[in-house]
């Protein structure tokens, strides 16, 4: 983890400068009103808390709407075969709407690189999307650490190139999402190669996975949660994919983002999430999507620096 943090300090500033430009490359989705599925609405703890509803910022209480940014990274957030916005984040967002007594309007901003600018510009109140927490990110926004994750490598099913670690990616074509933590990991690995990695930066995560499926890329370096889920639940056209489960890099948190000048919203969302954790509703949602082992026991804020050094 120490090397990863050093890398991020060096590279994040440059990455942030390119975020707005990268976001323009991907089409933003429609605004979706999130309503809990029947299984979510019946979970213990998914019930109005008037105390928490009253603690929301005045502007949100006045209009009765919480504007949420997300992007597509299964099973964190993605579209079902019917085109419905689903996943861990969709379920958590809908549950938060019930607890806080507000309408949740969730928008796929088109790419992970658009998330931070969407919060900094105040277009959205909060992001509920699988963004890797890091001390450098915390200088721009507050990060609500709501689940664990790591990073692994994904290849075509059967791993025909025999890739076992980051060193085996030297000289290979590797697809990564634009402006992401994983992209920086690949850049750092490439710098150590005799033959550099051919890095393909692609705005949307589904298109990153599709590049590997169709053979345009040899592999991707991706979030562990997404990789494990995609291995078990193949979606999209082309050959199947597989995660390399023995590769676990940069174990840390995924976070929801709020503006640093909005502590009322941050603290209210933390309390609502903790209500779900304490009641068992949060664990049920994580288990539903096959990621129970990545559940947190306590919802923390800006806690990345306290993760164990690997």
């Amino acid at each position: 983890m120490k090397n990863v943090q050093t890398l991020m300090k060096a590279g994040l500033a440059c990455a942030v400068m390119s975020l707005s430009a990268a976001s323009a490359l991907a089409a933003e989705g429609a605004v979706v009103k999130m309503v809990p599925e029947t299984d979510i609405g019946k979970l213990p703890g998914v019930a109005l808390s008037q105390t928490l509803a009253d603690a929301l910022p005045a502007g949100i209480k006045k209009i009765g709407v919480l504007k949420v940014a997300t992007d597509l990274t299964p099973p964190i957030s993605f579209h079902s075969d019917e085109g419905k916005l689903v996943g861990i984040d969709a379920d958590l967002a809908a549950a938060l709407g019930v607890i806080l007594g507000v309408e949740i309007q969730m928008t796929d901003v088109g790419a992970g690189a658009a998330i931070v600018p969407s919060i900094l510009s105040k277009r959205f109140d909060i992001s509920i999307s699988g963004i890797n927490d890091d001390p450098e990110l915390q200088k721009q926004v507050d990060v609500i650490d709501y689940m664990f994750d790591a990073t692994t490598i994904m290849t075509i099913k059967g791993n025909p190139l025999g890739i076992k670690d980051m060193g085996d990616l030297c000289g290979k074509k590797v697809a990564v999402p634009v402006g992401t933590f994983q992209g920086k990991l690949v850049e750092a690995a490439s710098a150590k190669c005799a033959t550099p990695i051919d890095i393909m930066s692609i705005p949307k995560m589904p298109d990153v996975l599709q590049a590997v499926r169709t053979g345009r890329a040899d592999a991707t370096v991706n979030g562990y949660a997404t990789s494990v889920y995609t291995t078990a639940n193949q979606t999209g056209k082309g050959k199947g994919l597989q995660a390399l489960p023995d590769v676990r890099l940069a174990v840390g948190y995924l976070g929801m983002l709020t503006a640093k000048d909005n502590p009322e919203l941050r603290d209210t969302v933390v309390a609502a999430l903790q209500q779900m954790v304490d009641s068992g509703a949060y664990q049920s949602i994580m288990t539903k999507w096959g990621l129970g082992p990545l559940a947190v026991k306590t919802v923390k804020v800006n806690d990345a620096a306290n993760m164990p050094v690997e």
Side-chain angles (χ1 to χ4, degrees), residues 155-187:
T155 69
I156 285 291
K157 188 174 181 180
N159 191 12
L161 297 179
I163 296 169
K164 297 179 181 178
D165 54 36
M166 293 290 283
D168 289 337
L169 298 179
C170 295
K172 307 287 195 305
K173 292 182 179 180
V174 177
V176 293
V178 171
T180 59
F181 179 86
Q182 286 79 18
K184 292 299 174 183
L185 286 179
V186 175
E187 289 177 10

PDB file of all heavy atoms in Angstrom, residues 155-187:
ATOM      1  N   THR A 155      -8.456 -11.581 -17.421  1.00  0.00           N
ATOM      2  CA  THR A 155      -8.046 -12.042 -18.747  1.00  0.00           C
ATOM      3  C   THR A 155      -9.218 -12.758 -19.406  1.00  0.00           C
ATOM      4  O   THR A 155     -10.270 -12.955 -18.795  1.00  0.00           O
ATOM      5  CB  THR A 155      -6.873 -13.031 -18.653  1.00  0.00           C
ATOM      6  OG1 THR A 155      -7.340 -14.256 -18.062  1.00  0.00           O
ATOM      7  CG2 THR A 155      -5.742 -12.460 -17.809  1.00  0.00           C
ATOM      8  N   ILE A 156      -9.011 -13.153 -20.644  1.00  0.00           N
ATOM      9  CA  ILE A 156      -9.961 -14.062 -21.290  1.00  0.00           C
ATOM     10  C   ILE A 156     -10.007 -15.365 -20.488  1.00  0.00           C
ATOM     11  O   ILE A 156      -8.996 -15.812 -19.931  1.00  0.00           O
ATOM     12  CB  ILE A 156      -9.524 -14.360 -22.746  1.00  0.00           C
ATOM     13  CG1 ILE A 156      -9.816 -13.143 -23.631  1.00  0.00           C
ATOM     14  CG2 ILE A 156     -10.232 -15.577 -23.312  1.00  0.00           C
ATOM     15  CD1 ILE A 156     -11.291 -12.871 -23.858  1.00  0.00           C
ATOM     16  N   LYS A 157     -11.169 -15.984 -20.425  1.00  0.00           N
ATOM     17  CA  LYS A 157     -11.337 -17.236 -19.700  1.00  0.00           C
ATOM     18  C   LYS A 157     -10.313 -18.267 -20.164  1.00  0.00           C
ATOM     19  O   LYS A 157     -10.099 -18.467 -21.356  1.00  0.00           O
ATOM     20  CB  LYS A 157     -12.752 -17.781 -19.903  1.00  0.00           C
ATOM     21  CG  LYS A 157     -13.083 -18.984 -19.034  1.00  0.00           C
ATOM     22  CD  LYS A 157     -14.533 -19.375 -19.194  1.00  0.00           C
ATOM     23  CE  LYS A 157     -14.874 -20.558 -18.300  1.00  0.00           C
ATOM     24  NZ  LYS A 157     -16.302 -20.957 -18.451  1.00  0.00           N
ATOM     25  N   GLY A 158      -9.653 -18.878 -19.193  1.00  0.00           N
ATOM     26  CA  GLY A 158      -8.605 -19.845 -19.499  1.00  0.00           C
ATOM     27  C   GLY A 158      -7.219 -19.238 -19.445  1.00  0.00           C
ATOM     28  O   GLY A 158      -6.228 -19.970 -19.450  1.00  0.00           O
ATOM     29  N   ASN A 159      -7.140 -17.901 -19.421  1.00  0.00           N
ATOM     30  CA  ASN A 159      -5.864 -17.198 -19.297  1.00  0.00           C
ATOM     31  C   ASN A 159      -4.818 -17.777 -20.257  1.00  0.00           C
ATOM     32  O   ASN A 159      -3.756 -18.269 -19.853  1.00  0.00           O
ATOM     33  CB  ASN A 159      -5.352 -17.287 -17.846  1.00  0.00           C
ATOM     34  CG  ASN A 159      -4.179 -16.367 -17.561  1.00  0.00           C
ATOM     35  OD1 ASN A 159      -3.862 -15.491 -18.346  1.00  0.00           O
ATOM     36  ND2 ASN A 159      -3.529 -16.593 -16.433  1.00  0.00           N
ATOM     37  N   PRO A 160      -5.076 -17.729 -21.575  1.00  0.00           N
ATOM     38  CA  PRO A 160      -4.188 -18.370 -22.548  1.00  0.00           C
ATOM     39  C   PRO A 160      -2.760 -17.830 -22.561  1.00  0.00           C
ATOM     40  O   PRO A 160      -1.841 -18.535 -22.985  1.00  0.00           O
ATOM     41  CB  PRO A 160      -4.888 -18.113 -23.887  1.00  0.00           C
ATOM     42  CG  PRO A 160      -5.742 -16.911 -23.646  1.00  0.00           C
ATOM     43  CD  PRO A 160      -6.209 -17.048 -22.237  1.00  0.00           C
ATOM     44  N   LEU A 161      -2.564 -16.605 -22.097  1.00  0.00           N
ATOM     45  CA  LEU A 161      -1.220 -16.031 -22.078  1.00  0.00           C
ATOM     46  C   LEU A 161      -0.467 -16.351 -20.794  1.00  0.00           C
ATOM     47  O   LEU A 161       0.694 -15.959 -20.627  1.00  0.00           O
ATOM     48  CB  LEU A 161      -1.292 -14.508 -22.274  1.00  0.00           C
ATOM     49  CG  LEU A 161      -1.876 -14.044 -23.615  1.00  0.00           C
ATOM     50  CD1 LEU A 161      -1.924 -12.522 -23.672  1.00  0.00           C
ATOM     51  CD2 LEU A 161      -1.071 -14.600 -24.786  1.00  0.00           C
ATOM     52  N   GLY A 162      -1.110 -17.052 -19.887  1.00  0.00           N
ATOM     53  CA  GLY A 162      -0.446 -17.479 -18.658  1.00  0.00           C
ATOM     54  C   GLY A 162      -0.031 -16.334 -17.748  1.00  0.00           C
ATOM     55  O   GLY A 162       0.998 -16.405 -17.071  1.00  0.00           O
ATOM     56  N   ILE A 163      -0.838 -15.289 -17.702  1.00  0.00           N
ATOM     57  CA  ILE A 163      -0.521 -14.128 -16.862  1.00  0.00           C
ATOM     58  C   ILE A 163      -0.714 -14.483 -15.391  1.00  0.00           C
ATOM     59  O   ILE A 163      -1.745 -15.027 -15.003  1.00  0.00           O
ATOM     60  CB  ILE A 163      -1.405 -12.928 -17.258  1.00  0.00           C
ATOM     61  CG1 ILE A 163      -1.084 -12.491 -18.686  1.00  0.00           C
ATOM     62  CG2 ILE A 163      -1.240 -11.767 -16.280  1.00  0.00           C
ATOM     63  CD1 ILE A 163      -2.059 -11.500 -19.279  1.00  0.00           C
ATOM     64  N   LYS A 164       0.289 -14.178 -14.565  1.00  0.00           N
ATOM     65  CA  LYS A 164       0.230 -14.509 -13.147  1.00  0.00           C
ATOM     66  C   LYS A 164       0.376 -13.300 -12.226  1.00  0.00           C
ATOM     67  O   LYS A 164      -0.030 -13.348 -11.061  1.00  0.00           O
ATOM     68  CB  LYS A 164       1.302 -15.538 -12.800  1.00  0.00           C
ATOM     69  CG  LYS A 164       1.125 -16.877 -13.504  1.00  0.00           C
ATOM     70  CD  LYS A 164       2.247 -17.838 -13.119  1.00  0.00           C
ATOM     71  CE  LYS A 164       2.089 -19.177 -13.826  1.00  0.00           C
ATOM     72  NZ  LYS A 164       3.214 -20.113 -13.486  1.00  0.00           N
ATOM     73  N   ASP A 165       0.994 -12.237 -12.736  1.00  0.00           N
ATOM     74  CA  ASP A 165       1.195 -11.059 -11.904  1.00  0.00           C
ATOM     75  C   ASP A 165       1.383  -9.839 -12.799  1.00  0.00           C
ATOM     76  O   ASP A 165       1.358  -9.941 -14.036  1.00  0.00           O
ATOM     77  CB  ASP A 165       2.390 -11.239 -10.966  1.00  0.00           C
ATOM     78  CG  ASP A 165       3.675 -11.619 -11.703  1.00  0.00           C
ATOM     79  OD1 ASP A 165       3.894 -11.132 -12.839  1.00  0.00           O
ATOM     80  OD2 ASP A 165       4.459 -12.409 -11.146  1.00  0.00           O
ATOM     81  N   MET A 166       1.602  -8.678 -12.187  1.00  0.00           N
ATOM     82  CA  MET A 166       1.723  -7.441 -12.952  1.00  0.00           C
ATOM     83  C   MET A 166       2.927  -7.474 -13.892  1.00  0.00           C
ATOM     84  O   MET A 166       2.894  -6.902 -14.986  1.00  0.00           O
ATOM     85  CB  MET A 166       1.835  -6.247 -12.001  1.00  0.00           C
ATOM     86  CG  MET A 166       0.575  -5.971 -11.194  1.00  0.00           C
ATOM     87  SD  MET A 166      -0.804  -5.347 -12.176  1.00  0.00           S
ATOM     88  CE  MET A 166      -0.320  -3.633 -12.421  1.00  0.00           C
ATOM     89  N   GLY A 167       3.991  -8.163 -13.495  1.00  0.00           N
ATOM     90  CA  GLY A 167       5.170  -8.254 -14.347  1.00  0.00           C
ATOM     91  C   GLY A 167       4.886  -8.939 -15.664  1.00  0.00           C
ATOM     92  O   GLY A 167       5.533  -8.647 -16.683  1.00  0.00           O
ATOM     93  N   ASP A 168       3.916  -9.856 -15.664  1.00  0.00           N
ATOM     94  CA  ASP A 168       3.565 -10.563 -16.892  1.00  0.00           C
ATOM     95  C   ASP A 168       2.799  -9.694 -17.887  1.00  0.00           C
ATOM     96  O   ASP A 168       2.553 -10.119 -19.013  1.00  0.00           O
ATOM     97  CB  ASP A 168       2.724 -11.800 -16.559  1.00  0.00           C
ATOM     98  CG  ASP A 168       3.531 -12.891 -15.881  1.00  0.00           C
ATOM     99  OD1 ASP A 168       4.763 -12.901 -16.051  1.00  0.00           O
ATOM    100  OD2 ASP A 168       2.935 -13.721 -15.159  1.00  0.00           O
ATOM    101  N   LEU A 169       2.429  -8.496 -17.476  1.00  0.00           N
ATOM    102  CA  LEU A 169       1.715  -7.596 -18.384  1.00  0.00           C
ATOM    103  C   LEU A 169       2.666  -6.802 -19.275  1.00  0.00           C
ATOM    104  O   LEU A 169       2.224  -6.139 -20.215  1.00  0.00           O
ATOM    105  CB  LEU A 169       0.843  -6.624 -17.587  1.00  0.00           C
ATOM    106  CG  LEU A 169      -0.269  -7.247 -16.743  1.00  0.00           C
ATOM    107  CD1 LEU A 169      -1.039  -6.169 -15.984  1.00  0.00           C
ATOM    108  CD2 LEU A 169      -1.220  -8.075 -17.599  1.00  0.00           C
ATOM    109  N   CYS A 170       3.958  -6.858 -19.002  1.00  0.00           N
ATOM    110  CA  CYS A 170       4.933  -6.145 -19.829  1.00  0.00           C
ATOM    111  C   CYS A 170       4.813  -6.585 -21.292  1.00  0.00           C
ATOM    112  O   CYS A 170       4.775  -7.787 -21.582  1.00  0.00           O
ATOM    113  CB  CYS A 170       6.350  -6.401 -19.325  1.00  0.00           C
ATOM    114  SG  CYS A 170       6.682  -5.747 -17.680  1.00  0.00           S
ATOM    115  N   GLY A 171       4.732  -5.614 -22.183  1.00  0.00           N
ATOM    116  CA  GLY A 171       4.618  -5.913 -23.607  1.00  0.00           C
ATOM    117  C   GLY A 171       3.225  -6.296 -24.057  1.00  0.00           C
ATOM    118  O   GLY A 171       3.004  -6.521 -25.247  1.00  0.00           O
ATOM    119  N   LYS A 172       2.275  -6.378 -23.116  1.00  0.00           N
ATOM    120  CA  LYS A 172       0.903  -6.752 -23.449  1.00  0.00           C
ATOM    121  C   LYS A 172       0.032  -5.503 -23.608  1.00  0.00           C
ATOM    122  O   LYS A 172       0.380  -4.407 -23.175  1.00  0.00           O
ATOM    123  CB  LYS A 172       0.299  -7.621 -22.341  1.00  0.00           C
ATOM    124  CG  LYS A 172       1.118  -8.839 -21.955  1.00  0.00           C
ATOM    125  CD  LYS A 172       1.069  -9.917 -23.002  1.00  0.00           C
ATOM    126  CE  LYS A 172       1.571 -11.266 -22.469  1.00  0.00           C
ATOM    127  NZ  LYS A 172       2.930 -11.219 -21.885  1.00  0.00           N
ATOM    128  N   LYS A 173      -1.145  -5.696 -24.234  1.00  0.00           N
ATOM    129  CA  LYS A 173      -2.149  -4.638 -24.329  1.00  0.00           C
ATOM    130  C   LYS A 173      -3.080  -4.744 -23.127  1.00  0.00           C
ATOM    131  O   LYS A 173      -3.717  -5.780 -22.923  1.00  0.00           O
ATOM    132  CB  LYS A 173      -2.953  -4.777 -25.619  1.00  0.00           C
ATOM    133  CG  LYS A 173      -2.156  -4.501 -26.887  1.00  0.00           C
ATOM    134  CD  LYS A 173      -3.047  -4.604 -28.120  1.00  0.00           C
ATOM    135  CE  LYS A 173      -2.253  -4.304 -29.390  1.00  0.00           C
ATOM    136  NZ  LYS A 173      -3.122  -4.414 -30.599  1.00  0.00           N
ATOM    137  N   VAL A 174      -3.153  -3.684 -22.324  1.00  0.00           N
ATOM    138  CA  VAL A 174      -3.956  -3.695 -21.104  1.00  0.00           C
ATOM    139  C   VAL A 174      -4.942  -2.529 -21.143  1.00  0.00           C
ATOM    140  O   VAL A 174      -4.536  -1.366 -21.281  1.00  0.00           O
ATOM    141  CB  VAL A 174      -3.066  -3.591 -19.852  1.00  0.00           C
ATOM    142  CG1 VAL A 174      -3.915  -3.528 -18.591  1.00  0.00           C
ATOM    143  CG2 VAL A 174      -2.109  -4.783 -19.790  1.00  0.00           C
ATOM    144  N   ALA A 175      -6.219  -2.836 -21.020  1.00  0.00           N
ATOM    145  CA  ALA A 175      -7.270  -1.814 -21.027  1.00  0.00           C
ATOM    146  C   ALA A 175      -7.584  -1.375 -19.603  1.00  0.00           C
ATOM    147  O   ALA A 175      -7.687  -2.219 -18.697  1.00  0.00           O
ATOM    148  CB  ALA A 175      -8.533  -2.355 -21.696  1.00  0.00           C
ATOM    149  N   VAL A 176      -7.734  -0.074 -19.401  1.00  0.00           N
ATOM    150  CA  VAL A 176      -8.091   0.481 -18.082  1.00  0.00           C
ATOM    151  C   VAL A 176      -9.046   1.648 -18.278  1.00  0.00           C
ATOM    152  O   VAL A 176      -9.025   2.311 -19.321  1.00  0.00           O
ATOM    153  CB  VAL A 176      -6.848   0.951 -17.299  1.00  0.00           C
ATOM    154  CG1 VAL A 176      -5.963  -0.211 -16.914  1.00  0.00           C
ATOM    155  CG2 VAL A 176      -6.062   1.986 -18.106  1.00  0.00           C
ATOM    156  N   PRO A 177      -9.883   1.944 -17.279  1.00  0.00           N
ATOM    157  CA  PRO A 177     -10.739   3.129 -17.380  1.00  0.00           C
ATOM    158  C   PRO A 177      -9.913   4.407 -17.266  1.00  0.00           C
ATOM    159  O   PRO A 177      -8.911   4.454 -16.556  1.00  0.00           O
ATOM    160  CB  PRO A 177     -11.685   2.979 -16.178  1.00  0.00           C
ATOM    161  CG  PRO A 177     -11.560   1.556 -15.740  1.00  0.00           C
ATOM    162  CD  PRO A 177     -10.159   1.153 -16.075  1.00  0.00           C
ATOM    163  N   VAL A 178     -10.353   5.438 -17.941  1.00  0.00           N
ATOM    164  CA  VAL A 178      -9.647   6.719 -17.952  1.00  0.00           C
ATOM    165  C   VAL A 178      -9.586   7.319 -16.544  1.00  0.00           C
ATOM    166  O   VAL A 178     -10.559   7.316 -15.796  1.00  0.00           O
ATOM    167  CB  VAL A 178     -10.364   7.713 -18.896  1.00  0.00           C
ATOM    168  CG1 VAL A 178      -9.770   9.113 -18.762  1.00  0.00           C
ATOM    169  CG2 VAL A 178     -10.270   7.236 -20.334  1.00  0.00           C
ATOM    170  N   GLY A 179      -8.425   7.831 -16.176  1.00  0.00           N
ATOM    171  CA  GLY A 179      -8.279   8.618 -14.963  1.00  0.00           C
ATOM    172  C   GLY A 179      -8.526   7.886 -13.669  1.00  0.00           C
ATOM    173  O   GLY A 179      -8.970   8.489 -12.688  1.00  0.00           O
ATOM    174  N   THR A 180      -8.249   6.589 -13.615  1.00  0.00           N
ATOM    175  CA  THR A 180      -8.572   5.799 -12.428  1.00  0.00           C
ATOM    176  C   THR A 180      -7.331   5.346 -11.674  1.00  0.00           C
ATOM    177  O   THR A 180      -6.210   5.358 -12.175  1.00  0.00           O
ATOM    178  CB  THR A 180      -9.390   4.555 -12.810  1.00  0.00           C
ATOM    179  OG1 THR A 180      -8.629   3.772 -13.739  1.00  0.00           O
ATOM    180  CG2 THR A 180     -10.717   4.937 -13.450  1.00  0.00           C
ATOM    181  N   PHE A 181      -7.585   4.912 -10.451  1.00  0.00           N
ATOM    182  CA  PHE A 181      -6.565   4.323  -9.588  1.00  0.00           C
ATOM    183  C   PHE A 181      -5.880   3.156 -10.288  1.00  0.00           C
ATOM    184  O   PHE A 181      -4.662   3.031 -10.287  1.00  0.00           O
ATOM    185  CB  PHE A 181      -7.282   3.862  -8.314  1.00  0.00           C
ATOM    186  CG  PHE A 181      -6.417   3.194  -7.291  1.00  0.00           C
ATOM    187  CD1 PHE A 181      -5.729   3.947  -6.354  1.00  0.00           C
ATOM    188  CD2 PHE A 181      -6.316   1.814  -7.227  1.00  0.00           C
ATOM    189  CE1 PHE A 181      -4.946   3.339  -5.387  1.00  0.00           C
ATOM    190  CE2 PHE A 181      -5.546   1.200  -6.268  1.00  0.00           C
ATOM    191  CZ  PHE A 181      -4.857   1.970  -5.342  1.00  0.00           C
ATOM    192  N   GLN A 182      -6.693   2.276 -10.916  1.00  0.00           N
ATOM    193  CA  GLN A 182      -6.128   1.109 -11.602  1.00  0.00           C
ATOM    194  C   GLN A 182      -5.237   1.519 -12.767  1.00  0.00           C
ATOM    195  O   GLN A 182      -4.209   0.888 -13.040  1.00  0.00           O
ATOM    196  CB  GLN A 182      -7.261   0.187 -12.082  1.00  0.00           C
ATOM    197  CG  GLN A 182      -7.938  -0.597 -10.983  1.00  0.00           C
ATOM    198  CD  GLN A 182      -8.937   0.221 -10.191  1.00  0.00           C
ATOM    199  OE1 GLN A 182      -9.387   1.275 -10.647  1.00  0.00           O
ATOM    200  NE2 GLN A 182      -9.306  -0.256  -9.007  1.00  0.00           N
ATOM    201  N   GLY A 183      -5.627   2.587 -13.456  1.00  0.00           N
ATOM    202  CA  GLY A 183      -4.799   3.071 -14.541  1.00  0.00           C
ATOM    203  C   GLY A 183      -3.420   3.501 -14.070  1.00  0.00           C
ATOM    204  O   GLY A 183      -2.402   3.243 -14.730  1.00  0.00           O
ATOM    205  N   LYS A 184      -3.366   4.139 -12.893  1.00  0.00           N
ATOM    206  CA  LYS A 184      -2.088   4.557 -12.329  1.00  0.00           C
ATOM    207  C   LYS A 184      -1.240   3.354 -11.919  1.00  0.00           C
ATOM    208  O   LYS A 184      -0.013   3.370 -12.041  1.00  0.00           O
ATOM    209  CB  LYS A 184      -2.322   5.485 -11.137  1.00  0.00           C
ATOM    210  CG  LYS A 184      -2.921   6.824 -11.527  1.00  0.00           C
ATOM    211  CD  LYS A 184      -1.980   7.572 -12.472  1.00  0.00           C
ATOM    212  CE  LYS A 184      -2.599   8.842 -12.990  1.00  0.00           C
ATOM    213  NZ  LYS A 184      -1.721   9.525 -13.967  1.00  0.00           N
ATOM    214  N   LEU A 185      -1.881   2.303 -11.420  1.00  0.00           N
ATOM    215  CA  LEU A 185      -1.141   1.085 -11.081  1.00  0.00           C
ATOM    216  C   LEU A 185      -0.470   0.493 -12.317  1.00  0.00           C
ATOM    217  O   LEU A 185       0.684   0.056 -12.268  1.00  0.00           O
ATOM    218  CB  LEU A 185      -2.076   0.043 -10.462  1.00  0.00           C
ATOM    219  CG  LEU A 185      -2.559   0.264  -9.030  1.00  0.00           C
ATOM    220  CD1 LEU A 185      -3.499  -0.862  -8.625  1.00  0.00           C
ATOM    221  CD2 LEU A 185      -1.393   0.343  -8.061  1.00  0.00           C
ATOM    222  N   VAL A 186      -1.206   0.487 -13.434  1.00  0.00           N
ATOM    223  CA  VAL A 186      -0.653  -0.063 -14.670  1.00  0.00           C
ATOM    224  C   VAL A 186       0.486   0.822 -15.180  1.00  0.00           C
ATOM    225  O   VAL A 186       1.511   0.315 -15.655  1.00  0.00           O
ATOM    226  CB  VAL A 186      -1.756  -0.213 -15.740  1.00  0.00           C
ATOM    227  CG1 VAL A 186      -1.160  -0.679 -17.069  1.00  0.00           C
ATOM    228  CG2 VAL A 186      -2.808  -1.221 -15.268  1.00  0.00           C
ATOM    229  N   GLU A 187       0.338   2.133 -15.075  1.00  0.00           N
ATOM    230  CA  GLU A 187       1.413   3.031 -15.496  1.00  0.00           C
ATOM    231  C   GLU A 187       2.681   2.788 -14.678  1.00  0.00           C
ATOM    232  O   GLU A 187       3.795   2.780 -15.216  1.00  0.00           O
ATOM    233  CB  GLU A 187       0.964   4.478 -15.357  1.00  0.00           C
ATOM    234  CG  GLU A 187      -0.083   4.899 -16.380  1.00  0.00           C
ATOM    235  CD  GLU A 187      -0.559   6.321 -16.153  1.00  0.00           C
ATOM    236  OE1 GLU A 187       0.049   7.029 -15.324  1.00  0.00           O
ATOM    237  OE2 GLU A 187      -1.544   6.715 -16.804  1.00  0.00           O
TER     238      GLU A 187
END
